[in-house]
Amino acid sequence: MAELKERQDKSGTGRWMRVLLVVSLAVNLAVVGVVAGWALRHGGHHGHHPSRLDMAGGPLTRALSDEDRREIGRRMREVWRETRADRADLGASFDALVGDLRAVPFDPDRVAERMREQREGFAARFEMGQEVLIAHLAAMSDADRAAYADRLEARIKDYRARRSGKDRD
């Protein structure tokens, strides 16, 4: 075993294998990011949604009525347009990531920084969605909010039942 490691170290195979694994991981993460970005922008049956509310909020947004979901989505788009100038363009960021992945020599720190920037952008959009949702919930009547809580509770119960393999009571 030690002899094999010594031969790999001498030939440089171990170093190149590590570089190849890092590049492979980075490419896989980039593909996942592109697919997630596409799904956030175009996914679902409601057509064009820049923020894909259902994916971001899960049961919290699926428990809303269709009308409430549309209203929150409209408000999110408004807020996004108002603040967009302050945020990095995601498409340009992915283009730059692809360039960073092709760079020779490969700079894993630069790729990690680019991915961190993208993650922060996603987190900022998620927080914006939560703020819009909370403002919407605060504007609801007590009865409407209680009905929403009932729908949310039912969705959570369904989810737990599916996870445990049991039918809903």
Side-chain angles (χ1 to χ4, degrees), residues 2-80:
E3 188 177 299
L4 177 62
K5 180 163 177 36
E6 186 176 312
R7 269 189 278 151
Q8 284 180 338
D9 289 342
K10 286 182 181 174
S11 67
T13 305
R15 180 175 165 262
W16 283 108
M17 185 60 71
R18 283 191 301 272
V19 169
L20 181 63
L21 288 173
V22 169
V23 170
S24 174
L25 175 62
V27 169
N28 285 332
L29 288 173
V31 168
V32 167
V34 169
V35 170
W38 183 90
L40 287 170
R41 184 158 179 95
H42 301 291
H45 63 282
H46 295 295
H48 178 72
H49 290 283
S51 57
R52 202 55 198 124
L53 185 62
D54 285 350
M55 289 179 64
L60 291 172
T61 55
R62 286 190 292 272
L64 292 164
S65 69
D66 287 341
E67 181 182 322
D68 286 344
R69 210 173 10 258
R70 279 190 298 274
E71 174 60 26
I72 291 171
R74 184 194 60 72
R75 180 65 187 133
M76 287 177 68
R77 286 187 294 279
E78 285 176 4
V79 171
W80 175 250

Side-chain angles (χ1 to χ4, degrees), residues 40 50-51 56 76 80 83 87-90 94 117-131:
L40 287 170
S51 57
M76 287 177 68
W80 175 250
T83 60
R87 305 197 193 284
D89 180 45
L90 186 59
F94 274 114
E117 290 168 358
Q118 290 174 350
R119 186 175 59 247
E120 287 175 359
F122 288 131
R125 286 187 288 281
F126 187 80
E127 284 181 32
M128 179 266 298
Q130 282 187 332
E131 290 170 8

